[in-house]
């Protein structure tokens, strides 16, 4: 059994023995009981200048290979989202390339006849974020001029996503949060966009634990009032809303919201703490999924969804529950650094050559935090090759002075 020395909570070290790998079967037919998107991260060029503030330099082969890996397990890909470091290192120029390249790769999968994705369209396979992050926040005008700038920025990004083929996700906008004077301004901007799109979109409500700049979104710091504004938008434009992604890490709020959504509007959970029970459902409703944690636990998530398809909800829930502690740890405060844990697991599993992130964000978590990520990933059966993972973990610890 592979073992290595990990840092302990008292400042010392301890021996840890890995439990060994788990075999997670890929689906032999498309997943149907739940619709699920894994929000994928991006992989930087090892020799690129991915320092804070520098334009993102991506390893496109590795980045696209990760998306093919997710598709091979029957999952959809949510791309150009928070997990891909939107607003935290991934600039709009690189984002455009990401959207276009992922659209091309999704089209190749849609035409391939692979068992896990048979009959799927590009829109089924990938949804991409459209936001306003090309705007210079410091130069953003106030009032109506600011709202007009936000609308035009959204339109530009929607056009890029639509032309590439994926489903559009209307991301929350820091710029709109800055210039909006109240609920009516949010309704004006979003209603205009929904009237203009030619295919239903996903609306994204991102909480301040993921991005503090989004405080007061939908025109109020009071979640109940903000929810009423959000619901009024959806009810008035239900034919243009495929679903809503809610990332507030509040399970009771999500359960209440999904119960009153118009017929046909899905709730894609973005709750990386409470996803097992939300996906499982309450007997009347369940949540679908659009989750960053699925980029880390995708083999287990796929097998859980396969069990839902087979009518074995108990086993499905058991598998999702087995990943919960890992999810809670990766998404622990400060939550917006969860992306570091996603990339770390990708490196441990051999999906990228180095533990690096654009914007230097691989420094976003401590050595002890990442050592615990390694341990929990092993206990969840999510280290594909334990020997490789242990080798890389040992190197990481030695380079960072543990046990030296």
């Amino acid at each position: 059994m592979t073992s290595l020395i990990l840092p302990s909570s008292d400042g010392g070290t301890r021996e840890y023995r890995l439990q060994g790998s788990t075999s997670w079967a890929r689906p032999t037919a498309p997943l149907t009981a739940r619709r699920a998107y894994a929000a994928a991260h991006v992989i930087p060029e090892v020799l690129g200048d991915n320092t804070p503030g520098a334009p993102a330099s991506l390893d496109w082969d590795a980045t696209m290979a990760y998306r093919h890996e997710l598709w091979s397990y029957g999952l959809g890909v949510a791309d150009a989202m928070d997990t891909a470091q939107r607003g935290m290192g991934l600039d709009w120029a690189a984002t455009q390339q990401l959207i276009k390249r992922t659209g091309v790769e999704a089209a190749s999968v849609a035409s391939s006849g692979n068992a896990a994705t048979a009959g799927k369209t590009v829109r089924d396979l990938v949804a991409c974020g459209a936001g306003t992050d090309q705007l210079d926040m410091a130069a953003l005008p106030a009032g109506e001029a600011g709202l007009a700038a936000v609308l035009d920025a959204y339109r530009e990004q929607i056009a890029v996503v639509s032309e590439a083929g994926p489903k559009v996700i209307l991301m929350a906008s820091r710029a709109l949060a800055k210039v909006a004077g109240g609920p009516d301004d949010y309704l004006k901007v979003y209603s205009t966009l929904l009237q203009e799109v030619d295919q239903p979109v996903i609306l994204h409500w991102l909480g301040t634990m993921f991005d503090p700049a989004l405080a007061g979104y939908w025109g109020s710091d009071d979640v109940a009032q903000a929810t009423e504004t959000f619901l009024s938008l959806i009810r008035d434009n239900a034919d243009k809303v495929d679903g809503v992604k809610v990332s507030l890490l509040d399970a009771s709020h999500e359960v209440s919201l999904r119960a009153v959504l118009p017929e046909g509007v899905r709730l894609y959970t973005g709750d990386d703490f409470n996803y097992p029970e939300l996906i499982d459902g309450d007997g009347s409703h369940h949540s679908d999924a659009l989750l960053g944690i699925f980029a880390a636990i995708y083999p287990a998530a796929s097998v859980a969804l396969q069990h839902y398809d087979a009518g074995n909800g108990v086993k499905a829930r058991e598998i999702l529950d087995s990943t919960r502690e890992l999810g809670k740890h990766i998404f622990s405060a400060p939550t917006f650094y969860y992306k570091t844990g996603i990339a770390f697991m990708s490196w441990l599993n051999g999906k990228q050559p180095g533990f690096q992130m654009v914007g230097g964000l691989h420094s976003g978590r401590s050595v002890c935090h990442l050592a615990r990520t390694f341990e929990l990933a092993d206990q969840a059966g999510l280290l594909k090759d334990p020997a490789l993972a242990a080798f890389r973990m040992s190197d990481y610890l030695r380079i960072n002075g543990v046990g030296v």
Side-chain angles (χ1 to χ4, degrees):
M1 186 70 71
T2 304
S3 67
L4 74 166
I5 302 300
L6 293 181
S8 56
S9 57
D10 60 4
T13 58
R14 60 189 172 86
E15 182 179 16
Y16 177 76
R17 291 187 174 275
L18 280 77
Q19 69 172 27
S21 61
T22 298
S23 179
W24 302 103
R26 288 175 168 84
T28 57
L31 302 172
T32 59
R34 305 289 190 276
R35 186 173 294 180
Y37 293 93
H41 76 303
V42 293
I43 299 171
E45 283 279 3
V46 172
L47 300 180
D49 181 20
N50 283 295
T51 49
S57 175
L58 299 187
D59 180 336
W60 289 113
D61 288 343
T63 295
M64 291 299 112
Y66 207 88
R67 282 135 184 82
H68 280 278
E69 175 81 350
L70 296 171
W71 286 320
S72 77
Y73 278 90
L75 300 174
V77 170
D79 218 334
M81 298 289 290
D82 183 66
T83 310
Q85 295 183 239
R86 292 292 293 270
M88 294 185 73
L90 190 72
D91 54 278
W92 174 232
T95 299
Q96 290 183 71
Q97 287 298 310
L98 178 63
I99 292 167
K100 293 172 182 177
R101 288 171 182 262
T102 304
V104 170
E105 296 301 317
S108 74
V109 172
S111 63
S112 69
N114 291 340
T117 55
K120 298 288 187 180
T121 68
V122 171
R123 282 171 53 83
D124 295 326
L125 292 171
V126 62
C128 289
T132 64
D133 52 328
Q134 73 271 51
L135 293 173
D136 181 351
M137 293 286 284
L140 191 65
E144 291 298 321
L147 293 174
V150 167
L151 265 172
D152 286 342
Y154 265 127
R155 286 169 173 144
E156 178 188 0
Q157 296 203 11
I158 289 169
V160 170
V161 177
S162 299
E163 184 176 343
K167 186 178 297 178
V168 171
I169 303 171
L170 284 186
M171 299 175 67
S173 164
R174 292 176 180 175
L176 181 54
K178 180 179 180 180
V179 301
D184 288 346
D185 286 340
Y186 285 90
L187 292 174
K188 177 181 178 180
V189 168
Y190 277 94
S191 295
T192 300
L193 295 172
L194 289 174
Q195 290 164 17
E196 293 175 354
V197 295
D198 58 3
Q199 294 284 345
V201 306
I202 298 173
L203 299 177
H204 188 192
W205 184 356
L206 192 66
T208 53
M209 67 291 295
F210 290 97
D211 189 344
L214 299 176
Y217 216 75
W218 304 111
S220 178
D221 287 314
D222 182 87
V223 173
Q225 291 184 27
T227 301
E228 282 306 309
T229 301
F230 189 54
L231 275 170
S232 69
L233 172 71
I234 297 163
R235 288 166 178 153
D236 289 345
N237 300 275
D239 62 326
K240 293 296 186 73
V241 181
D242 168 83
V244 299
K245 169 176 161 57
V246 181
S247 301
L248 300 182
L249 303 184
D250 183 340
S252 61
H253 175 267
E254 181 169 321
V255 169
S256 297
L257 176 61
R258 75 186 181 195
V260 296
L261 288 174
E263 185 73 23
V265 175
R266 297 175 179 270
L267 197 149
Y268 294 95
T269 187
D271 189 331
D272 301 277
F273 288 170
N274 303 299
Y275 58 91
E277 60 264 39
L278 292 167
I279 293 171
D280 194 54
D282 57 15
S284 298
H285 303 89
H286 67 261
S287 296
D288 293 292
L290 200 162
L291 287 162
I293 193 58
F294 270 23
I297 69 165
Y298 62 88
S302 172
V303 172
L305 297 179
Q306 291 173 54
H307 279 292
Y308 279 122
D309 281 354
N312 191 351
V314 173
K315 183 62 177 178
R317 175 65 187 273
E318 177 186 318
I319 292 171
L320 292 176
D321 280 338
S322 74
T323 68
R324 183 195 296 271
E325 289 305 311
L326 175 63
K328 288 170 65 177
H329 178 70
I330 287 177
F331 283 79
S332 59
T335 302
F336 45 81
Y337 286 128
Y338 77 86
K339 296 170 274 287
T340 305
I342 302 294
F344 190 65
M345 282 191 60
S346 171
W347 175 64
L348 290 175
N349 280 318
K351 300 303 179 184
Q352 58 190 77
F355 175 45
Q356 296 184 25
M357 299 174 70
V358 298
L361 205 65
H362 46 281
S363 65
R365 293 296 198 187
S366 70
V367 172
C368 289
H369 179 97
L370 293 176
R372 181 63 175 157
T373 301
F374 169 87
E375 187 174 359
L376 290 170
D378 175 58
Q379 292 169 5
L382 290 166
L383 296 180
K384 183 176 182 180
D385 181 343
L388 172 65
F391 177 78
R392 289 189 165 190
M393 187 73 214
S394 180
D395 273 356
Y396 171 79
L397 293 171
R398 185 172 59 255
I399 289 168
N400 282 280
V402 177
V404 175

